[in-house]
Amino acid sequence: MGLDYTLVLWNKHKKTYDKIIGFGMLLYLLVFIILTLVLNPETTAETMIIRAFGSLAVLMLHIILIIGPLSRLNPQFLPILYNRRHLGVSMFLAALVHGVFSIIQFHTLGNVNPIYAVFTSNMDYGSLTNFPFQVLGFLALLILFFMASTSHDFFLKNLSPKIWKGLHMMVYLAYALIIMHVFLGAFQQETSPFTIGIMVIGFMLITSLHLISALKESKIDGLKSEKADDGWLKVCGADEIPNDRAKIFTVGKERVAIFKYDGKLSAIHNVCKHQGGPLGEGKIVDGCITCPWHGYQYLPQNGQSPPPFTEKVVTYGLRLDEGMIYINPDGFEEGTEVEPVKC
Amino acid sequence: MEAVITVFLTILGIYFSLGLLFGLYFIFLGATKVDPFMTDSKKKVRLLLFPGVVATWPFLVGKLIKPKTLN
Ligand code: HEM
Ligand code: FES
């Protein structure tokens, strides 16, 4: 929505979150180093750095993957979701330190290119217990680099949201590679039981939370709408929608938000043009539907961002019959003016 | 296996080398052509975008070459 690109969309909360991320990472590294010095005093500084940053990165990756379903289950977690990008970039930096130190430590001794050495110093690709697990880490780091480096809104817009989303869904591929990196590595190194513990508990947590939130959403989707004779869908009573708020319905395959404001009703596509935030979970502020994620605004009657902004979403026709709202499942072109229904 | 590795890493190397070149062009000249909103942006923003441009240059080259559609 910006007319020009700022460095980062800072505001006070974001700064607080960034401080929490920074201090959290420092605290973790400090505790890790102290524990290692106490429990395993022979560990060399390089090994300590490699392990501290590697385990920090997986810990952060788990937090990142848990925030999504968690905030779908409980909106209280939403503020963390908005700050997930900074968490992601910080996680990449931690993983980068781990990867670079590992390469320096293990692969710069010979006279071949160190990256080439990561792939060829152990050619046991057919083995399970002696697999060159570093290669898996390298590929994961490559994916994380693509994601971290394109996390700015500029790329969301210029790569198109579809490609951007696809790129960022690769986090699950990276996650799978990292799981294998750690477990296959554990055959060859004395991986700490703590790291293995994080991975096992984390994996169970991530899969179960994703399942629960998917189940919850499919219930919402299953509940909705009855078809009237003319193909319009009966969705709910006008009095079920609170003032300046919306209810979200599944219409056809799309999610639609029906807003009530100033004694009027309007329906727009539920997906924000910025990063796909759920518009129907937002509020009407100053007469505009305001996305709960980063505050993009749309006029309810035409789905257009107020000038000078240019975002537009699909709008839908509504009618009211004996207090019940009906919606035309065929949406209009993005930004089409629709006369609001009085209620 | 070695052949596969060599091919993969060579392609990767070429991809990022070209990305680096395009990234430099982008920072100094191309940015505003890809996205008119860049005109007002600060130098630091372009530096921040640099790694991502190196990573995704084929898409941005596409945007430069294609005639401008409505945006
Ligand atoms: C170039 C990429 C990478 C290389 C060369 C690499 C190399 C290594 C090596 C050599 C170890 C064994 C260290 C030891 O126990 O002494 C290791 C362990 C580990 N790596 Fe990586 N890695 C890379 C990328 C990653 C990434 C992207 C992540 C996660 C985000 C990661 C997470 C871990 C974890 C959690 C361990 C276990 C640490 C422990 O023992 O507690 N690695 N890696
Ligand atoms: S998703 Fe960012 S403002 Fe809507």
Side-chain angles (χ1 to χ4, degrees):
Chain A
M1 191 170 223
L3 271 184
D4 67 84
Y5 289 103
T6 44
L7 265 180
V8 183
L9 276 172
W10 298 110
N11 59 38
K12 223 171 127 224
H13 288 299
K14 287 223 151 152
K15 285 206 167 138
T16 313
Y17 284 119
D18 286 334
K19 276 189 197 138
I20 294 174
I21 295 174
F23 281 124
M25 289 172 75
L26 275 179
L27 192 69
Y28 177 89
L29 293 170
L30 213 64
V31 171
F32 191 98
I33 288 171
I34 291 171
L35 280 181
T36 312
L37 287 177
V38 171
L39 300 172
N40 227 342
E42 310 85 272
T43 317
T44 64
E46 292 86 358
T47 306
M48 198 142 67
I49 290 175
I50 291 173
R51 292 185 181 167
F53 279 91
S55 57
L56 172 62
V58 275
L59 184 65
M60 294 176 76
L61 180 61
H62 280 88
I63 296 175
I64 290 167
L65 290 176
I66 284 170
I67 296 171
L70 215 53
S71 58
R72 259 175 281 154
L73 291 172
N74 185 340
Q76 273 183 331
F77 291 100
L78 277 174
I80 315 179
L81 186 74
Y82 315 146
N83 210 43
R84 196 157 60 155
R85 272 200 246 186
H86 294 190
L87 206 56
V89 174
S90 314
M91 184 263 297
F92 163 72
L93 293 176
L96 185 66
V97 172
H98 165 83
V100 168
F101 266 84
S102 302
I103 291 176
I104 293 175
Q105 169 93 334
F106 298 108
H107 303 290
T108 46
L109 298 173
N111 53 2
V112 282
N113 176 332
I115 307 267
Y116 190 69
V118 169
F119 282 75
T120 52
S121 59
N122 164 6
M123 289 296 282
D124 227 349
Y125 282 90
S127 156
L128 186 66
T129 50
N130 195 33
F131 190 88
F133 65 95
Q134 294 88 343
V135 170
L136 302 169
F138 180 86
L139 296 176
L141 192 62
L142 196 64
I143 295 177
L144 297 181
F145 167 69
F146 271 85
M147 291 171 44
S149 68
T150 58
S151 65
H152 195 277
D153 269 358
F154 171 84
F155 292 100
L156 180 70
K157 178 162 169 256
N158 285 300
L159 297 178
S160 88
K162 209 170 138 200
I163 293 174
W164 193 83
K165 186 99 206 264
L167 198 63
H168 284 247
M169 287 312 272
M170 297 220 327
V171 68
Y172 291 99
L173 178 60
Y175 179 49
L177 288 167
I178 289 163
I179 290 181
M180 292 194 287
H181 172 69
V182 176
F183 281 96
L184 293 178
F187 286 119
Q188 295 161 54
Q189 320 269 342
E190 18 150 353
T191 307
S192 78
F194 173 70
T195 307
I196 301 279
I198 294 186
M199 302 287 291
V200 173
I201 296 173
F203 181 75
M204 292 193 298
L205 208 61
I206 288 174
T207 33
S208 51
L209 277 172
H210 273 86
L211 281 176
I212 295 171
S213 78
L215 212 68
K216 193 180 159 202
E217 298 217 320
S218 72
K219 265 197 199 133
I220 298 178
D221 285 354
L223 259 177
K224 298 313 163 199
S225 60
E226 233 173 86
K227 216 173 200 154
D229 298 336
D230 52 1
W232 286 49
L233 300 171
K234 181 171 163 184
V235 282
C236 72
D239 49 2
E240 291 175 46
I241 304 178
N243 234 341
D244 288 336
R245 292 273 181 175
K247 276 189 92 156
I248 303 167
F249 300 92
T250 306
V251 171
K253 286 205 170 65
E254 301 297 334
R255 298 194 131 212
V256 176
I258 304 184
F259 275 90
K260 184 185 208 169
Y261 56 100
D262 304 335
K264 290 182 284 190
L265 295 166
S266 289
I268 66 166
H269 194 213
N270 191 42
V271 181
C272 179
K273 283 290 170 181
H274 178 219
Q275 273 178 44
L279 293 174
E281 289 172 25
K283 273 194 291 201
I284 303 268
V285 178
D286 301 329
C288 289
I289 294 169
T290 305
C291 178
W293 282 14
H294 319 91
Y296 274 39
Q297 293 193 307
Y298 304 88
L299 292 163
Q301 69 275 17
N302 59 18
Q304 299 180 12
S305 291
F309 303 111
T310 53
E311 281 76 16
K312 284 185 228 153
V313 294
V314 169
T315 51
Y316 291 83
L318 294 176
R319 75 161 187 254
L320 204 60
D321 198 354
E322 295 177 357
M324 296 307 288
I325 303 171
Y326 291 77
I327 184 166
N328 181 350
D330 303 320
F332 296 111
E333 283 277 297
E334 292 178 347
T336 306
E337 186 91 25
V338 179
E339 182 71 22
V341 172
K342 293 214 165 52
C343 67
Chain B
M1 197 63 201
E2 274 207 75
V4 177
I5 293 170
T6 309
V7 169
F8 173 70
L9 289 181
T10 308
I11 293 177
L12 208 65
I14 293 173
Y15 182 89
F16 279 110
S17 307
L18 289 176
L20 228 53
L21 287 179
F22 181 76
L24 289 175
Y25 163 75
F26 178 88
I27 287 204
F28 292 113
L29 298 164
T32 47
K33 285 192 199 146
V34 174
D35 185 337
F37 284 164
M38 289 300 293
T39 328
D40 305 332
S41 65
K42 300 199 185 69
K43 282 271 164 356
K44 274 190 196 155
V45 177
R46 299 189 182 194
L47 214 58
L48 186 80
L49 298 181
F50 182 70
V53 175
V54 174
T56 59
W57 62 272
F59 296 102
L60 299 171
V61 169
K63 272 199 89 121
L64 271 184
I65 294 171
K66 253 189 263 163
K68 209 82 217 105
T69 45
L70 285 180
N71 207 331

